[in-house]
Amino acid sequence: MTAVEKIKSHLFQLILIIAYGALFIINPQKGMASLGSSGYFLKEMLMIMPVIFMLTALLDLWVPKEKIVAFLGTGSGIKGILLSFVVGSISAGPIYAAFPMCRMLHKKGASIRNIVIILSAWAVIKVPMLINEAKFLGPRFMAIRWVLTIASIVIFSWIAGKVIRDEDIPVEVEGEKGGLQLNRETCMGCGICTRVYPEVFELKGKKAQVKAHTQLDQDRLKEAINSCPVDAISYSEEA
């Protein structure tokens, strides 16, 4: 990997470092406050995300693709919309915890529209939040805001479903055609595959990648494929 490629692969982190450096120079007090806030959210993510990865893996293992397509796919209709609202409303945790699960649901057949509904409901109409909203701002305020929010989500999810196509979601596949393939765009960098089969998989740039190999242990490869929480690994014997 060249120096330019390394910079591109870590561009976001580089921009953050430059921004923090500039903030410390301009206003050290705000720089320290920002660093403290970032540390807090990083600690929160380190506590929450492993649990989310585990739940995503269990959901992927227990719920077959056919069920996802039937209940959340493009043909699920009102049933899919209502289920999406329920899933988003009863879910716990910050909004970023929803992204791995929604990525997995989309990969297994959930529609763009229903994914938008889940994310939106997760962010603004979770049940615990509604209870606190009614307590501090009153039931009438909560009810009106809830109805208007639901209507807005339905409208914007319909627009998103029309504007965004499944093919628009970026996919980066690495590996041999008709052989071992790894979708680095889908990969969450959890490192499970590298622990299951370190002779074939490694982490690079916080994402898994396929190492050079001459032969594959089918049992260990199958274990690595099944253990991936977002189905980023696939294998076909076709040349």
Side-chain angles (χ1 to χ4, degrees):
M1 182 180 291
T2 65
V4 175
E5 290 175 337
K6 287 182 179 179
I7 291 174
K8 286 183 178 180
S9 64
H10 297 87
L11 185 60
F12 180 71
Q13 294 91 326
L14 184 61
I15 292 174
L16 282 180
I17 292 172
I18 293 173
Y20 272 116
L23 186 59
F24 269 102
I25 293 172
I26 298 170
N27 193 323
Q29 187 175 358
K30 287 187 177 180
M32 287 300 298
S34 299
L35 192 62
S37 298
S38 298
Y40 171 80
F41 286 114
L42 180 61
K43 181 180 177 181
E44 183 184 63
M45 288 183 67
L46 290 174
M47 293 174 63
I48 293 174
M49 293 312 290
V51 179
I52 296 300
F53 290 155
M54 185 181 300
L55 291 175
T56 301
L58 291 175
L59 181 64
D60 188 24
L61 181 65
W62 291 341
V63 183
K65 183 175 181 178
E66 294 75 19
K67 294 293 185 181
I68 300 295
V69 173
F71 288 96
L72 292 173
T74 53
S76 58
I78 297 297
K79 173 179 62 178
I81 292 174
L82 293 176
L83 181 58
S84 298
F85 272 113
V86 171
V87 171
S89 299
I90 66 174
S91 300
I95 182 61
Y96 57 76
F99 299 142
M101 186 188 75
C102 286
R103 177 60 174 159
M104 183 274 295
L105 289 175
H106 178 260
K107 191 167 190 277
K108 296 191 78 169
S111 68
I112 296 292
R113 179 175 185 172
N114 289 332
I115 292 298
V116 171
I117 292 175
I118 292 173
L119 288 172
S120 301
W122 193 308
V124 294
I125 58 172
K126 286 189 293 189
V127 173
M129 184 183 73
L130 293 177
I131 294 173
N132 282 304
E133 185 178 352
K135 177 181 177 182
F136 290 104
L137 298 175
R140 186 169 181 271
F141 178 93
M142 183 273 291
I144 294 174
R145 202 276 303 174
W146 184 81
V147 170
L148 293 176
T149 301
I150 292 289
S152 300
I153 291 174
V154 170
I155 293 170
F156 284 113
S157 66
W158 179 82
I159 295 173
K162 294 295 183 180
V163 174
I164 304 172
R165 299 172 299 174
D166 290 320
E167 311 88 70
D168 293 331
I169 296 180
V171 175
E172 180 185 349
V173 178
E174 177 183 289
E176 312 97 15
K177 184 178 181 180
L180 178 58
Q181 298 182 331
L182 173 64
N183 188 326
R184 295 199 81 210
E185 184 65 31
T186 302
C187 175
M188 298 185 297
C190 63
I192 295 176
C193 61
T194 65
R195 293 191 290 273
V196 173
Y197 205 170
E199 292 84 0
V200 173
F201 301 100
E202 65 179 351
L203 284 178
K204 194 166 186 179
K206 298 184 180 179
K207 297 275 189 174
Q209 71 174 19
V210 179
K211 298 165 65 174
H213 57 276
T214 56
Q215 58 183 6
L216 293 168
D217 183 320
Q218 294 298 322
D219 291 335
R220 295 179 68 191
L221 177 60
K222 184 177 180 180
E223 183 181 357
I225 292 173
N226 292 336
S227 65
C228 179
V230 290
D231 291 334
I233 308 168
S234 60
Y235 179 74
S236 172
E237 294 184 354
E238 295 180 5

